[in-house]
Amino acid sequence: MKLFAIGSDHAGYEMRLSIKAYLESRGFSVEDFGTFDREKSNYPEIADVVANKVAAGGYEGGILICGTGIGMSLAANKVRGIRAACVSEPYSARMCKEHNNANIICFGARVVGIEIAKMIVDQWIDHEFLGGRHQTRVDMITKIEENGHL
Ligand code: RB5
Protein backbone atom coordinates (compact mmCIF):
# COMPACT_ATOMS: atom_id res chain seq x y z
CA MET A 1 0.00 0.00 0.00
CA LYS A 2 1.32 3.44 -0.90
CA LEU A 3 2.45 5.45 2.13
CA PHE A 4 2.58 9.25 2.13
CA ALA A 5 4.11 11.63 4.66
CA ILE A 6 2.09 14.76 5.37
CA GLY A 7 2.73 17.92 7.36
CA SER A 8 1.56 21.48 7.74
CA ASP A 9 2.01 24.54 9.88
CA HIS A 10 -0.91 26.23 11.68
CA ALA A 11 -2.08 27.88 8.44
CA GLY A 12 -2.50 24.50 6.80
CA TYR A 13 -3.84 22.65 9.84
CA GLU A 14 -7.46 22.12 8.73
CA MET A 15 -6.55 21.44 5.13
CA ARG A 16 -3.97 18.87 6.19
CA LEU A 17 -6.58 16.96 8.18
CA SER A 18 -8.96 17.06 5.20
CA ILE A 19 -6.30 15.92 2.72
CA LYS A 20 -5.16 13.17 5.07
CA ALA A 21 -8.75 11.89 5.33
CA TYR A 22 -9.15 12.16 1.56
CA LEU A 23 -6.01 10.11 0.90
CA GLU A 24 -7.17 7.48 3.38
CA SER A 25 -10.56 7.38 1.65
CA ARG A 26 -8.64 6.59 -1.54
CA GLY A 27 -7.01 3.65 0.19
CA PHE A 28 -3.59 5.16 0.86
CA SER A 29 -1.70 5.12 4.14
CA VAL A 30 -0.71 8.48 5.57
CA GLU A 31 1.84 9.26 8.28
CA ASP A 32 1.07 12.62 9.85
CA PHE A 33 3.94 14.76 11.11
CA GLY A 34 1.83 17.61 12.45
CA THR A 35 1.61 20.34 13.52
CA PHE A 36 -0.85 18.91 16.00
CA ASP A 37 -2.60 22.06 17.21
CA ARG A 38 -3.61 25.43 15.84
CA GLU A 39 -0.94 27.41 17.71
CA LYS A 40 1.45 29.41 15.55
CA SER A 41 4.26 27.17 14.35
CA ASN A 42 7.36 27.41 12.17
CA TYR A 43 6.92 25.83 8.75
CA PRO A 44 10.66 24.98 8.35
CA GLU A 45 10.45 22.65 11.34
CA ILE A 46 7.69 20.59 9.71
CA ALA A 47 9.30 20.73 6.26
CA ASP A 48 12.56 19.50 7.80
CA VAL A 49 10.92 16.41 9.30
CA VAL A 50 8.80 15.47 6.29
CA ALA A 51 11.53 16.14 3.72
CA ASN A 52 14.09 14.08 5.62
CA LYS A 53 11.61 11.23 6.01
CA VAL A 54 10.88 11.24 2.27
CA ALA A 55 14.58 11.52 1.38
CA ALA A 56 15.37 8.56 3.63
CA GLY A 57 12.96 6.36 1.67
CA GLY A 58 9.93 4.24 2.44
CA TYR A 59 7.39 6.83 1.33
CA GLU A 60 5.68 7.28 -1.99
CA GLY A 61 6.08 11.01 -1.42
CA GLY A 62 5.32 13.90 0.87
CA ILE A 63 2.66 16.57 1.08
CA LEU A 64 3.37 19.91 2.78
CA ILE A 65 0.81 22.63 3.37
CA CYS A 66 1.32 26.13 4.74
CA GLY A 67 -0.34 29.45 3.99
CA THR A 68 1.06 29.71 0.47
CA GLY A 69 3.02 26.47 0.06
CA ILE A 70 6.05 28.62 -0.71
CA GLY A 71 7.84 28.46 2.63
CA MET A 72 7.36 24.71 2.83
CA SER A 73 8.77 24.19 -0.65
CA LEU A 74 11.74 26.49 -0.05
CA ALA A 75 12.64 24.65 3.15
CA ALA A 76 12.00 21.12 1.82
CA ASN A 77 14.17 21.78 -1.24
CA LYS A 78 17.18 22.35 1.04
CA VAL A 79 17.16 18.64 1.90
CA ARG A 80 19.36 16.56 -0.39
CA GLY A 81 17.33 14.42 -2.76
CA ILE A 82 14.14 16.42 -2.40
CA ARG A 83 12.30 17.94 -5.34
CA ALA A 84 9.43 19.85 -3.76
CA ALA A 85 6.98 21.56 -6.12
CA CYS A 86 4.73 24.38 -4.96
CA VAL A 87 1.60 24.31 -7.12
CA SER A 88 -1.82 25.91 -7.08
CA GLU A 89 -3.64 24.09 -9.88
CA PRO A 90 -3.95 20.50 -11.17
CA TYR A 91 -2.05 20.88 -14.48
CA SER A 92 1.19 21.82 -12.72
CA ALA A 93 0.59 19.04 -10.21
CA ARG A 94 0.59 16.51 -13.07
CA MET A 95 3.60 18.09 -14.77
CA CYS A 96 5.68 18.21 -11.61
CA LYS A 97 5.40 14.42 -11.46
CA GLU A 98 5.67 13.65 -15.20
CA HIS A 99 8.51 16.05 -15.99
CA ASN A 100 10.20 16.93 -12.69
CA ASN A 101 9.62 13.76 -10.64
CA ALA A 102 8.64 15.89 -7.65
CA ASN A 103 8.76 13.75 -4.54
CA ILE A 104 7.03 16.38 -2.39
CA ILE A 105 4.07 18.51 -3.37
CA CYS A 106 3.30 21.77 -1.57
CA PHE A 107 0.30 24.05 -1.73
CA GLY A 108 -1.20 26.91 0.19
CA ALA A 109 -4.31 26.61 2.33
CA ARG A 110 -4.77 30.37 1.88
CA VAL A 111 -4.44 30.00 -1.90
CA VAL A 112 -6.47 26.98 -2.95
CA GLY A 113 -9.76 25.57 -1.71
CA ILE A 114 -10.11 22.00 -0.58
CA GLU A 115 -11.56 20.72 -3.87
CA ILE A 116 -8.65 22.13 -5.89
CA ALA A 117 -6.27 20.73 -3.27
CA LYS A 118 -7.79 17.26 -3.77
CA MET A 119 -7.40 17.59 -7.55
CA ILE A 120 -3.77 18.63 -7.03
CA VAL A 121 -2.91 15.55 -4.97
CA ASP A 122 -4.85 13.30 -7.37
CA GLN A 123 -2.92 14.54 -10.40
CA TRP A 124 0.39 14.22 -8.63
CA ILE A 125 -0.33 10.72 -7.31
CA ASP A 126 -2.06 9.33 -10.41
CA HIS A 127 0.67 10.16 -12.90
CA GLU A 128 4.13 8.71 -13.30
CA PHE A 129 7.49 10.27 -14.05
CA LEU A 130 8.08 10.00 -17.80
CA GLY A 131 11.87 9.60 -17.67
CA GLY A 132 13.85 9.92 -20.91
CA ARG A 133 14.82 13.53 -21.62
CA HIS A 134 13.17 14.51 -18.35
CA GLN A 135 15.50 12.18 -16.46
CA THR A 136 18.45 13.96 -18.06
CA ARG A 137 17.15 17.28 -16.75
CA VAL A 138 16.35 15.94 -13.28
CA ASP A 139 19.90 14.56 -13.18
CA MET A 140 21.10 18.09 -13.90
CA ILE A 141 19.15 19.36 -10.89
CA THR A 142 20.84 16.69 -8.78
CA LYS A 143 24.23 17.74 -10.10
CA ILE A 144 23.58 21.35 -9.10
CA GLU A 145 22.50 20.08 -5.68
CA GLU A 146 25.72 18.10 -5.30
CA ASN A 147 28.22 20.55 -6.81
CA GLY A 148 26.55 23.94 -6.51
CA HIS A 149 26.55 24.17 -10.31
CA LEU A 150 26.41 21.96 -13.42
C1 RB5 B 1 2.30 31.76 8.22
O1 RB5 B 1 1.68 32.98 8.52
C2 RB5 B 1 2.80 31.75 6.79
O2 RB5 B 1 3.89 32.61 6.67
C3 RB5 B 1 3.17 30.36 6.36
O3 RB5 B 1 2.09 29.50 6.53
C4 RB5 B 1 3.60 30.19 4.91
O4 RB5 B 1 2.66 30.75 4.04
C5 RB5 B 1 4.98 30.57 4.58
O5 RB5 B 1 5.42 30.40 3.43
Side-chain angles (χ1 to χ4, degrees), residues 7 30 97 103:
V30 184
K97 176 64 79 62
N103 50 11

mmCIF file with all atom_site columns, all heavy atoms in Angstrom, residues 7 30 97 103:
data_model
loop_
_atom_site.group_PDB
_atom_site.id
_atom_site.type_symbol
_atom_site.label_atom_id
_atom_site.label_alt_id
_atom_site.label_comp_id
_atom_site.label_asym_id
_atom_site.label_entity_id
_atom_site.label_seq_id
_atom_site.pdbx_PDB_ins_code
_atom_site.Cartn_x
_atom_site.Cartn_y
_atom_site.Cartn_z
_atom_site.occupancy
_atom_site.B_iso_or_equiv
_atom_site.pdbx_formal_charge
_atom_site.auth_seq_id
_atom_site.auth_comp_id
_atom_site.auth_asym_id
_atom_site.auth_atom_id
_atom_site.pdbx_PDB_model_num
ATOM 1  N N   . GLY A 1 7   ? 2.483  16.964 6.288   1.00 0.00 ? 7   GLY A N   1
ATOM 2  C CA  . GLY A 1 7   ? 2.732  17.922 7.356   1.00 0.00 ? 7   GLY A CA  1
ATOM 3  C C   . GLY A 1 7   ? 2.218  19.290 6.967   1.00 0.00 ? 7   GLY A C   1
ATOM 4  O O   . GLY A 1 7   ? 2.020  19.584 5.782   1.00 0.00 ? 7   GLY A O   1
ATOM 5  N N   . VAL A 1 30  ? -1.242 7.142  5.370   1.00 0.00 ? 30  VAL A N   1
ATOM 6  C CA  . VAL A 1 30  ? -0.707 8.484  5.568   1.00 0.00 ? 30  VAL A CA  1
ATOM 7  C C   . VAL A 1 30  ? -0.068 8.566  6.946   1.00 0.00 ? 30  VAL A C   1
ATOM 8  O O   . VAL A 1 30  ? -0.706 8.215  7.946   1.00 0.00 ? 30  VAL A O   1
ATOM 9  C CB  . VAL A 1 30  ? -1.820 9.557  5.471   1.00 0.00 ? 30  VAL A CB  1
ATOM 10 C CG1 . VAL A 1 30  ? -1.208 10.953 5.579   1.00 0.00 ? 30  VAL A CG1 1
ATOM 11 C CG2 . VAL A 1 30  ? -2.601 9.417  4.171   1.00 0.00 ? 30  VAL A CG2 1
ATOM 12 N N   . LYS A 1 97  ? 5.074  15.842 -11.563 1.00 0.00 ? 97  LYS A N   1
ATOM 13 C CA  . LYS A 1 97  ? 5.403  14.416 -11.465 1.00 0.00 ? 97  LYS A CA  1
ATOM 14 C C   . LYS A 1 97  ? 5.964  13.931 -12.792 1.00 0.00 ? 97  LYS A C   1
ATOM 15 O O   . LYS A 1 97  ? 7.041  13.329 -12.842 1.00 0.00 ? 97  LYS A O   1
ATOM 16 C CB  . LYS A 1 97  ? 4.180  13.613 -11.082 1.00 0.00 ? 97  LYS A CB  1
ATOM 17 C CG  . LYS A 1 97  ? 4.412  12.089 -11.056 1.00 0.00 ? 97  LYS A CG  1
ATOM 18 C CD  . LYS A 1 97  ? 5.392  11.648 -10.016 1.00 0.00 ? 97  LYS A CD  1
ATOM 19 C CE  . LYS A 1 97  ? 4.752  11.600 -8.646  1.00 0.00 ? 97  LYS A CE  1
ATOM 20 N NZ  . LYS A 1 97  ? 3.652  10.640 -8.546  1.00 0.00 ? 97  LYS A NZ  1
ATOM 21 N N   . ASN A 1 103 ? 9.076  14.732 -5.584  1.00 0.00 ? 103 ASN A N   1
ATOM 22 C CA  . ASN A 1 103 ? 8.757  13.746 -4.544  1.00 0.00 ? 103 ASN A CA  1
ATOM 23 C C   . ASN A 1 103 ? 8.039  14.367 -3.351  1.00 0.00 ? 103 ASN A C   1
ATOM 24 O O   . ASN A 1 103 ? 7.620  13.651 -2.429  1.00 0.00 ? 103 ASN A O   1
ATOM 25 C CB  . ASN A 1 103 ? 9.998  12.942 -4.118  1.00 0.00 ? 103 ASN A CB  1
ATOM 26 C CG  . ASN A 1 103 ? 11.188 13.811 -3.795  1.00 0.00 ? 103 ASN A CG  1
ATOM 27 O OD1 . ASN A 1 103 ? 11.066 15.035 -3.688  1.00 0.00 ? 103 ASN A OD1 1
ATOM 28 N ND2 . ASN A 1 103 ? 12.351 13.198 -3.634  1.00 0.00 ? 103 ASN A ND2 1
#
